[in-house]
Amino acid sequence: MTTVSSVATAQVLFNNVSEQQNSTVPPTWDSLHPHQINVLGTVLAITGNVLISVSLNIQKYTHVRLLCQESPAPYYRSKLWWCGIFLMGMGELGNFAAYGFAPATLVAPLGCVSVIASAAISVLFLKEKMRSSDILGGSLAVLGTYLLVTFAINVQQEITAAKIHKYIVSWPFLVYLGLEFILFLIFLYLFKKRGMKHIVILLLMSSLLASLTVISVKAVSGMITSSMKGQLQFQYPVFYVMVVIMVASCIFQVQFLNQAMKLYNATEVVPINFVFFTTSAIIAGVIFYQEFHGAALLNIFMFLFGCMLSFLGVFLIARNREKRTAEIPYIDLGTIPKERSTEKIQPDLSHINSYGTVQDGERTHDSPSEDAK
């Protein structure tokens, strides 16, 4: 009996080892806890946002360096600029992958990391001034990010084509999609027909499209992740429908965002767009993917409180971020014969060393201007 049981035990162990060797699913996927998977998505999102901020500062540094040259070459010929573009691509890829592991309600608010990192990098490497509002805003944004990660909803769900199809035909999403479509048409009418180009209207249209972007990005990323686990999703039409929605919503969203950037300063566009985008992403995650289902009230309250702290931090960092360039001092050459006076007033140059000005201590009585008078 002992021999028979030993043989049976050995046969079971051999079968388990054979199944693990022949399985296409890595053993690490099943061994990860939902909290660990959320942490993985969080790390990918934070890393992606940091890479994006580094990329933007590298591109800015490239443009500044080219402007200092006598005969600047086109920026697209600079290797440093292409390095920034490569880092931006890696950052966007990290954000895209994060949606496949962490909830959309967690990944979207982590965009404040990009603002914090950009402010810190600009101070350290671009020698911009550190302001008290930067320190306060950065502290609030870091505290908000900590609350977001700590009280994030640990909802782990397999994103499959069948589940996406089920979510699409659910009545809460259909009601939400109908309201969003009506609001978008109203704002588009005000923008196109009435000529109302207020920043709120432009960024609201962008955020309404951003909600579709978040839904489609998480669907595509989640189905790719499921395919990597062994459950192929590429044969279902809903996958390609989500890819089309993702690309189209991104294109139109960028158009409205660029229109806002043309009409308003970046210090106004960046914080308002961050608030609208994050809010739309959270609403989309709650309604479409039901990410707050079964969550405790304390987690929801602290999560939303972390979002508010991040919003306030971004506003403080982006406030009055634009540099003011001093005007070139006007040099009065006197009244030109047979011409009317320009009636411009010579500015006070006592504290400005401007080209072409002569200080009082350097004036001599035998100067040509005095002889002419």
Side-chain angles (χ1 to χ4, degrees), residues 176-186:
Y176 169 74
L177 185 63
L179 293 176
E180 187 177 73
F181 181 72
I182 294 173
L183 288 176
F184 183 80
L185 289 181
I186 293 174

mmCIF file of all heavy atoms in Angstrom, residues 176-186:
data_model
loop_
_atom_site.group_PDB
_atom_site.id
_atom_site.type_symbol
_atom_site.label_atom_id
_atom_site.label_comp_id
_atom_site.label_asym_id
_atom_site.label_seq_id
_atom_site.Cartn_x
_atom_site.Cartn_y
_atom_site.Cartn_z
ATOM 1 N N TYR A 176 -24.979 57.286 -19.754
ATOM 2 C CA TYR A 176 -23.821 58.181 -19.666
ATOM 3 C C TYR A 176 -23.345 58.609 -21.055
ATOM 4 O O TYR A 176 -23.044 59.787 -21.282
ATOM 5 C CB TYR A 176 -22.698 57.468 -18.917
ATOM 6 C CG TYR A 176 -21.360 58.166 -18.989
ATOM 7 C CD1 TYR A 176 -21.128 59.328 -18.265
ATOM 8 C CD2 TYR A 176 -20.335 57.654 -19.778
ATOM 9 C CE1 TYR A 176 -19.900 59.968 -18.322
ATOM 10 C CE2 TYR A 176 -19.110 58.280 -19.845
ATOM 11 C CZ TYR A 176 -18.892 59.444 -19.113
ATOM 12 O OH TYR A 176 -17.677 60.072 -19.190
ATOM 13 N N LEU A 177 -23.316 57.674 -21.990
ATOM 14 C CA LEU A 177 -22.878 57.991 -23.350
ATOM 15 C C LEU A 177 -23.854 58.950 -24.028
ATOM 16 O O LEU A 177 -23.432 59.874 -24.746
ATOM 17 C CB LEU A 177 -22.742 56.707 -24.164
ATOM 18 C CG LEU A 177 -22.170 56.846 -25.578
ATOM 19 C CD1 LEU A 177 -20.737 57.376 -25.521
ATOM 20 C CD2 LEU A 177 -22.200 55.511 -26.311
ATOM 21 N N GLY A 178 -25.172 58.753 -23.796
ATOM 22 C CA GLY A 178 -26.148 59.670 -24.384
ATOM 23 C C GLY A 178 -26.020 61.083 -23.843
ATOM 24 O O GLY A 178 -26.057 62.062 -24.604
ATOM 25 N N LEU A 179 -25.856 61.224 -22.516
ATOM 26 C CA LEU A 179 -25.677 62.553 -21.920
ATOM 27 C C LEU A 179 -24.389 63.211 -22.415
ATOM 28 O O LEU A 179 -24.367 64.416 -22.695
ATOM 29 C CB LEU A 179 -25.665 62.438 -20.393
ATOM 30 C CG LEU A 179 -26.987 62.025 -19.733
ATOM 31 C CD1 LEU A 179 -26.798 61.846 -18.229
ATOM 32 C CD2 LEU A 179 -28.069 63.052 -20.017
ATOM 33 N N GLU A 180 -23.348 62.429 -22.518
ATOM 34 C CA GLU A 180 -22.070 62.964 -23.002
ATOM 35 C C GLU A 180 -22.185 63.430 -24.444
ATOM 36 O O GLU A 180 -21.637 64.486 -24.819
ATOM 37 C CB GLU A 180 -20.983 61.895 -22.873
ATOM 38 C CG GLU A 180 -19.586 62.405 -23.185
ATOM 39 C CD GLU A 180 -18.546 61.326 -22.981
ATOM 40 O OE1 GLU A 180 -18.487 60.396 -23.822
ATOM 41 O OE2 GLU A 180 -17.812 61.389 -21.985
ATOM 42 N N PHE A 181 -22.902 62.682 -25.270
ATOM 43 C CA PHE A 181 -23.078 63.051 -26.671
ATOM 44 C C PHE A 181 -23.880 64.356 -26.791
ATOM 45 O O PHE A 181 -23.544 65.243 -27.592
ATOM 46 C CB PHE A 181 -23.788 61.917 -27.410
ATOM 47 C CG PHE A 181 -23.993 62.177 -28.873
ATOM 48 C CD1 PHE A 181 -22.928 62.155 -29.766
ATOM 49 C CD2 PHE A 181 -25.267 62.450 -29.370
ATOM 50 C CE1 PHE A 181 -23.125 62.398 -31.112
ATOM 51 C CE2 PHE A 181 -25.464 62.692 -30.712
ATOM 52 C CZ PHE A 181 -24.392 62.669 -31.587
ATOM 53 N N ILE A 182 -24.931 64.506 -25.982
ATOM 54 C CA ILE A 182 -25.747 65.729 -26.021
ATOM 55 C C ILE A 182 -24.917 66.939 -25.574
ATOM 56 O O ILE A 182 -24.956 68.011 -26.203
ATOM 57 C CB ILE A 182 -26.999 65.556 -25.144
ATOM 58 C CG1 ILE A 182 -27.920 64.486 -25.746
ATOM 59 C CG2 ILE A 182 -27.743 66.873 -24.998
ATOM 60 C CD1 ILE A 182 -29.100 64.140 -24.866
ATOM 61 N N LEU A 183 -24.161 66.799 -24.488
ATOM 62 C CA LEU A 183 -23.327 67.898 -24.005
ATOM 63 C C LEU A 183 -22.270 68.286 -25.034
ATOM 64 O O LEU A 183 -22.002 69.479 -25.250
ATOM 65 C CB LEU A 183 -22.656 67.503 -22.685
ATOM 66 C CG LEU A 183 -23.552 67.440 -21.454
ATOM 67 C CD1 LEU A 183 -22.772 66.933 -20.249
ATOM 68 C CD2 LEU A 183 -24.153 68.809 -21.161
ATOM 69 N N PHE A 184 -21.686 67.297 -25.679
ATOM 70 C CA PHE A 184 -20.658 67.589 -26.680
ATOM 71 C C PHE A 184 -21.254 68.352 -27.858
ATOM 72 O O PHE A 184 -20.626 69.293 -28.372
ATOM 73 C CB PHE A 184 -20.023 66.287 -27.165
ATOM 74 C CG PHE A 184 -18.893 66.506 -28.146
ATOM 75 C CD1 PHE A 184 -17.624 66.846 -27.698
ATOM 76 C CD2 PHE A 184 -19.108 66.367 -29.514
ATOM 77 C CE1 PHE A 184 -16.583 67.046 -28.590
ATOM 78 C CE2 PHE A 184 -18.075 66.566 -30.408
ATOM 79 C CZ PHE A 184 -16.814 66.899 -29.951
ATOM 80 N N LEU A 185 -22.455 67.977 -28.303
ATOM 81 C CA LEU A 185 -23.108 68.696 -29.401
ATOM 82 C C LEU A 185 -23.428 70.138 -29.007
ATOM 83 O O LEU A 185 -23.286 71.060 -29.820
ATOM 84 C CB LEU A 185 -24.376 67.962 -29.829
ATOM 85 C CG LEU A 185 -24.185 66.632 -30.567
ATOM 86 C CD1 LEU A 185 -25.541 66.042 -30.942
ATOM 87 C CD2 LEU A 185 -23.314 66.808 -31.812
ATOM 88 N N ILE A 186 -23.852 70.346 -27.753
ATOM 89 C CA ILE A 186 -24.158 71.707 -27.290
ATOM 90 C C ILE A 186 -22.895 72.562 -27.283
ATOM 91 O O ILE A 186 -22.884 73.700 -27.784
ATOM 92 C CB ILE A 186 -24.797 71.664 -25.893
ATOM 93 C CG1 ILE A 186 -26.185 71.010 -25.966
ATOM 94 C CG2 ILE A 186 -24.902 73.070 -25.295
ATOM 95 C CD1 ILE A 186 -26.834 70.794 -24.609
#
